[in-house]
Amino acid sequence: MPGSPSRLTDDLKHGLDAPICLTWELTYGCNLACVHCLSSSGRRDPDELRTDELLRVVDELHDLQVFYVNIGGGEPTIRPDFYDVVDYAVSRGVGVKFSTNGSTITPEKAQRLAATDYLDVQISIDGALAATNDAVRGDGSYATARRAMDHLAEAGFGPFKISVVVTRHNVAELDAFEALAAHYGAQLRLTRLRPSGRGADTWAELHPTAGQQVELYRWLVDRPGVLTGDSFFHLSALGEPLPGLNLCGAGRVVCLIDPVGDVYACPFVLHPEFRAGSVRDPGGFAHVWRGSELFRSLREPTSAGACASCGAYDACQGGCMASKFFTGLPLDGPDPECVRGFGEAALAAVAAGSAPVPGPVHSSPVRLVRKPAG
Amino acid sequence: MIDPARPYGLDPQVALRREPFGALAYHYGNRRLTFLRSPDLVRVVQDLGRHDSVDEALAGSGVAPARWPAFRAALDSLAESEVIRAR
């Protein structure tokens, strides 16, 4: 290709004029209380953006030529103005992909979604079996998600996405997820569990083991068609790189707008340290993206720090910033799930209780009361 | 393979966004994002629709003939990603 011989990832590290991948969470309200929820969602925050403010954000994204947004929450579809916002975004050329637990996707809503262009739907499940899923997402949530998938298929929506957070308990079900997606003509999307939100409390028992990470890596290498949101780039240190951008995009190519309009470097770092500003500030979102001190510092060259002497650093780039931050690890050291094992050693050195606590918490904390097994 | 003697243009479903390294191209139909990593290439792609052939667009954009093979190859891969198409 004509042009500079530099790598694409080097270009992207300096940041873009507007994000490529923007996650927009519309509400902290949710009828579920998943034990790994990255935004600790439950109840709506009274200060969430009003409809007119949401539409103004869409206008801004249009002006910035943000091609599409990933809408989530919380459960975004519980907002009464959800479909108004989606329709307005699509009408302004901002494509929408939204994540849902499926609970509001009735046959009528599925028909409506199927009739809308530039719209992708992503149904979340965290187990191919009801028991595996419901242990994380709550009783009955698997059946609810499957019903939504049935409705979308019956409405002729086309290839919707089935979105799975990979955990220690569902790695064994990867083939079953693939079969489920094939059954619906859907696309499978796997993403990485982060110790964010309520995940901070459950990460230690839910994140895949070292052996499972190797298994997952091999499974993904054999299936380049499985979507990952480029979230497993730390696994690229195991061999050939996985498809996608192998770098942390926080503040460079991705960011998050939360339900009250706060802008964070990525969806997994809801913490004051990574808050860049608010869409309610003068200058709006564009000013935050281009002018925030935090984002500018994230676009500076980073030091490999403790990873400098590791031959795999070029492949894994030191891993995920959010995973390091919420496990109490320094940002210029190994990822807690470093495939060379340096993360485990680093975690052992973190003093108990010293890891940052996710927040501000906008919903009252909700804990699943799990029935004893048996 | 593209035919450099024929006219091409940006696919009507594609939006280009200028960036410091060149441009991003997003295809609303197949949802694919493509990186154009050279401002010269971006200029050629934008000009394609105004010329009767690919080579005419290259000449019109002031690309030195020695670089034409590399540009044709780049345009070839853009055609494969459905960023540009024959008119």
Side-chain angles (χ1 to χ4, degrees):
Chain A
M1 165 111 25
S4 65
S6 69
R7 295 189 310 167
L8 178 62
T9 49
D10 293 329
D11 292 337
L12 297 181
K13 279 180 185 172
H14 303 302
L16 299 170
D17 286 353
I20 296 178
C21 178
L22 185 139
T23 300
W24 189 10
E25 295 181 349
L26 297 188
T27 179
Y28 280 111
C30 191
N31 53 326
L32 299 185
C34 305
V35 299
H36 59 7
C37 179
L38 59 94
S39 56
S40 306
S41 286
R43 289 184 209 164
R44 288 195 65 172
D45 186 312
D47 201 29
E48 288 174 5
L49 297 180
R50 299 180 312 269
T51 308
D52 62 305
E53 292 177 298
L54 295 178
L55 301 186
R56 212 159 46 230
V57 170
V58 170
D59 287 337
E60 260 212 279
L61 300 180
H62 166 265
D63 294 344
L64 288 169
Q65 278 198 284
V66 172
F67 304 123
Y68 61 94
V69 288
N70 302 298
I71 288 183
E75 170 54 44
T77 65
I78 66 170
R79 271 193 75 124
D81 53 5
F82 172 75
Y83 286 92
D84 300 328
V85 174
V86 168
D87 289 346
Y88 186 66
V90 169
S91 79
R92 299 235 59 194
V94 180
V96 170
K97 180 175 87 178
F98 75 90
S99 294
T100 174
N101 58 37
S103 54
T104 69
I105 311 296
T106 59
E108 296 72 36
K109 287 290 188 322
Q111 297 272 358
R112 178 177 183 161
L113 293 169
T116 309
D117 278 339
Y118 307 139
L119 180 70
D120 287 322
V121 182
Q122 195 160 281
I123 312 263
S124 302
I125 52 170
D126 292 326
L129 303 171
T132 315
N133 176 82
D134 290 5
V136 169
R137 305 182 60 83
D139 284 346
S141 58
Y142 180 82
T144 300
R146 288 294 302 270
R147 252 194 318 274
M149 293 179 201
D150 290 340
H151 296 329
L152 287 173
E154 281 155 20
F157 180 84
F160 59 88
K161 294 171 174 59
I162 297 177
S163 189
V164 176
V165 175
V166 178
T167 68
R168 191 170 301 181
H169 306 300
N170 67 21
V171 169
E173 297 169 17
L174 289 177
D175 288 341
F177 284 120
E178 188 179 39
L180 183 69
H183 166 75
Y184 284 113
Q187 267 184 303
L188 180 60
R189 179 173 185 268
L190 302 181
T191 55
R192 184 175 175 193
L193 173 76
R194 269 54 166 239
S196 313
R198 278 196 289 275
D201 297 331
T202 51
W203 180 84
E205 55 178 293
L206 284 183
H207 77 86
T209 64
Q212 288 175 331
Q213 291 209 99
V214 176
E215 189 187 329
L216 171 66
Y217 169 75
R218 292 195 182 127
W219 198 89
L220 288 170
V221 166
D222 288 343
R223 292 164 182 81
V226 171
L227 307 171
T228 62
D230 300 349
S231 66
F232 294 108
F233 62 92
H234 72 297
L235 298 182
S236 290
L238 286 166
E240 62 173 291
L242 293 167
L245 301 175
N246 279 293
L247 86 161
C248 166
R252 295 161 163 166
V253 297
V254 314
C255 75
L256 167 79
I257 302 177
D258 93 336
V260 298
D262 287 342
V263 180
Y264 291 89
C266 94
F268 303 100
V269 285
L270 287 167
H271 187 278
E273 206 163 304
F274 295 100
R275 182 185 173 279
S278 167
V279 301
R280 283 170 165 157
D281 294 344
F285 173 75
H287 182 73
V288 178
W289 176 262
R290 290 173 181 165
S292 115
E293 285 293 315
L294 170 70
F295 284 0
R296 268 193 261 181
S297 71
L298 289 173
R299 293 163 194 164
E300 296 287 317
T302 47
S303 144
C307 298
S309 58
C310 177
Y313 180 77
D314 267 357
C316 78
Q317 299 282 313
C320 169
M321 182 177 80
S323 295
K324 294 188 242 198
F325 182 73
F326 285 123
T327 50
L329 295 180
L331 301 186
D332 62 347
D335 185 289
E337 295 181 281
C338 164
V339 297
R340 297 282 174 103
F342 296 117
E344 276 166 65
L347 282 176
V350 175
S354 69
V357 176
V361 173
H362 294 264
S363 311
S364 303
V366 182
R367 293 272 182 274
L368 266 193
V369 180
R370 274 198 262 172
K371 291 185 207 120
Chain B
M1 293 290 280
I2 58 162
D3 179 348
R6 289 193 54 198
Y8 281 74
L10 201 62
D11 188 295
Q13 289 207 80
V14 168
L16 276 188
R17 183 173 104 197
R18 299 300 296 255
E19 287 291 345
F21 60 82
L24 294 172
Y26 183 68
H27 192 295
Y28 281 96
N30 64 29
R31 317 284 210 263
R32 260 199 300 198
L33 193 65
T34 305
F35 296 88
L36 280 64
R37 296 183 56 222
S38 143
D40 289 345
L41 179 64
V42 176
R43 217 173 41 246
V44 171
V45 166
Q46 284 176 321
D47 283 354
L48 275 178
R50 285 198 287 273
H51 292 278
D52 291 334
S53 75
V54 168
D55 283 351
E56 213 177 272
L58 289 171
S61 304
V63 177
R67 298 173 70 204
W68 284 20
F71 273 76
R72 286 186 191 132
L75 292 169
D76 214 38
S77 81
L78 290 179
E80 212 158 284
S81 325
E82 301 176 74
V83 174
I84 62 169
R85 65 175 199 179
R87 282 188 282 132

